[in-house]
Amino acid sequence: MTEARPPIRRIFSGIQPSGGLTLGNYLGALKRFAEFQGTGPETIYCIVDLHAITVWQEPAVLTRQTREAAAAFMASGVDPARSILFNQSQVPAHAEMAWLFNTVARVGWMYRMTQFKDKAGRNSENVSLGLLAYPSLMAADILVYHADAVPVGEDQKQHLELTRDIAAKFNHDYSVDFFPEVQPLIEGVATRVMSLRDGSRKMSKSDPSDASRINLTDDADAIAQKIRKARTDAEPLPGSMEGLKDRPEAKNLVNIYAALSDETPAALLARFEGQGFGAFKPALAEVAVEVLGPITKRMQDYMADPAEIDRILGQGAERADAIARPILHQTMDIMGLIRSR
Ligand code: AMP
Ligand code: TRP
């Protein structure tokens, strides 16, 4: 018998402001963040600027990208009246909780993270200490709200397992049942949107090739051109996903189309069976422009008023702080740290 999960009460997720956001961020994260609003759980969304600075960020660029990320959240339907939207560094409880977790988590757990290995490369002695401790801060982001569910793309699965390990070790070490078991929400056909140039790599804002991704700031011409040039094969489309098993580039475009048009890949393939990419790509470009065009436009509108973005982030931070601070204080009490003011 499988045990029924308790209902989700609080959702938390974050995105780094470390570059322009991509179609992968939109389909794997932002679009879903908006969809969780009004479904019951409280939704808390964070622009994780303290994570971004674990690798060098030019200060003025970081400021702009943080505002741009806020604009992207709102343009994608995250409503600051229905969700809490803020930037991480304005709520000090994140960094404070991360320090407490740095004493719980083990160094070996950090070295095993594939994101760390990818970012550090062969240079692992020379990266910032923050890059190594990155997952401990991520666990703090989530657990300082006692959030029980986290919508993310596939690439964050390992970090969420580590979050569960930190929660479990804390509960065990201090003989408490304090931190919840966090549930990853990795669902849908777009949990791993791949590069347009290489079907074996994920679409990423840090890929040196701009043609590999669709940016949320790309205009209609750029989107159409990138899709036209996307790598594919010469075969016609099959009638089912089974037929795309060994065709990663083709499969990626089908998944992107299905996610953008909110239909199943099966329904999509039923319409395109037997057709080649000469027909499929223009149709995909049309859907992409139709969905992303209005988002890009709304982003530009928000970006025209940076003071208003800052005001919204400040207000979100205040609401976030009111939830996080008591949980941080309880954690300190459990650990025997004196708080007399
Ligand atoms: P990041 O840009 O690394 O801060 O990622 C923010 C969110 O977007 C996380 O939930 C990621 O898992 C998700 N994400 C990033 N790239 C992709 C992608 N190519 N496909 C699906 N989700 C993605
Ligand atoms: N590590 C995540 C990424 O690179 C960003 C992140 C930081 C996050 N803290 C989080 C995601 C908390 C979900 C929950 O995409």
Side-chain angles (χ1 to χ4, degrees):
M1 210 175 78
T2 54
E3 214 178 309
R5 278 197 173 274
I8 297 172
R9 284 177 310 152
R10 194 173 278 155
I11 284 176
F12 181 94
S13 197
I15 291 190
Q16 297 187 71
S18 53
L21 298 180
T22 72
L23 179 66
N25 293 125
Y26 174 68
L27 294 175
L30 293 170
K31 178 174 193 264
R32 301 178 54 229
F33 295 173
E35 288 167 354
F36 283 114
Q37 297 176 125
T39 60
E42 181 174 25
T43 43
I44 306 180
Y45 298 126
C46 185
I47 299 155
V48 292
D49 46 11
L50 297 177
H51 277 110
I53 57 171
T54 58
V55 298
W56 172 252
Q57 304 291 332
E58 206 58 48
V61 177
L62 178 65
T63 306
R64 185 177 51 73
Q65 283 174 173
T66 303
R67 292 191 182 119
E68 203 172 274
F73 269 91
M74 293 189 283
S76 304
V78 171
D79 174 0
R82 292 198 293 159
S83 293
I84 296 180
L85 176 65
F86 68 106
N87 59 310
Q88 191 184 28
S89 58
Q90 288 207 74
V91 180
H94 289 243
E96 295 173 59
M97 186 68 109
W99 181 263
L100 303 181
F101 285 170
N102 281 346
T103 69
V104 174
R106 307 289 93 181
V107 177
W109 299 359
M110 304 292 146
Y111 280 118
R112 274 200 294 279
M113 294 293 109
T114 54
Q115 187 168 306
F116 174 75
K117 289 192 249 182
D118 288 348
K119 286 195 178 179
R122 274 164 310 186
N123 202 18
S124 69
E125 291 299 307
N126 234 335
V127 298
S128 76
L129 187 52
L131 189 69
L132 183 63
Y134 179 114
S136 181
L137 177 59
M138 178 161 163
D141 295 340
I142 299 163
L143 293 170
V144 83
Y145 298 97
H146 275 186
D148 38 27
V150 180
V152 281
E154 179 71 40
D155 60 339
Q156 295 303 310
K157 198 172 168 193
Q158 196 187 29
H159 281 155
L160 289 181
E161 278 160 14
L162 194 129
T163 297
R164 291 161 66 109
D165 290 343
I166 291 178
K169 186 167 190 301
F170 182 97
N171 287 345
H172 175 265
D173 288 355
Y174 292 97
S175 307
V176 287
D177 183 14
F178 185 61
F179 288 116
E181 203 175 290
V182 174
Q183 185 186 340
L185 302 174
I186 304 173
E187 296 149 349
V189 292
T191 56
R192 194 167 164 80
V193 175
M194 307 309 282
S195 156
L196 299 178
R197 308 297 310 162
D198 177 351
S200 69
R201 294 161 59 120
K202 78 163 185 170
M203 183 180 287
S204 160
K205 50 195 168 198
S206 58
D207 193 311
S209 159
D210 191 60
S212 72
R213 63 178 160 265
I214 292 172
N215 305 299
L216 292 187
T217 50
D218 284 346
D219 62 19
D221 286 345
I223 293 174
Q225 197 191 73
K226 286 175 180 179
I227 291 175
R228 194 165 57 239
K229 288 193 176 159
R231 211 171 120 184
T232 41
D233 51 45
E235 301 291 310
L237 284 160
S240 77
M241 284 308 267
E242 254 304 281
L244 290 178
K245 221 169 50 210
D246 301 313
R247 300 169 62 187
E249 281 90 8
K251 186 174 168 189
N252 187 39
L253 294 187
V254 167
N255 280 336
I256 290 175
Y257 193 138
L260 283 170
S261 61
D262 274 322
E263 60 190 321
T264 62
L268 183 67
L269 286 175
R271 280 195 283 125
F272 279 96
E273 179 172 13
Q275 300 194 49
F277 285 96
F280 185 84
K281 280 179 168 181
L284 170 57
E286 198 177 313
V287 176
V289 169
E290 199 179 289
V291 173
L292 298 179
I295 295 176
T296 311
K297 170 74 177 65
R298 284 195 291 273
M299 271 178 77
Q300 286 164 352
D301 293 345
Y302 285 117
M303 285 302 280
D305 191 354
E308 173 64 6
I309 294 181
D310 293 2
R311 192 191 62 78
I312 290 169
L313 293 175
Q315 222 166 42
E318 219 167 284
R319 290 165 65 201
D321 193 76
I323 302 172
R325 191 123 301 265
I327 296 176
L328 174 73
H329 286 169
Q330 289 172 58
T331 312
M332 292 170 70
D333 293 343
I334 290 169
M335 297 176 87
L337 300 163
I338 292 177
R339 276 189 317 109
S340 48
R341 62 175 190 96

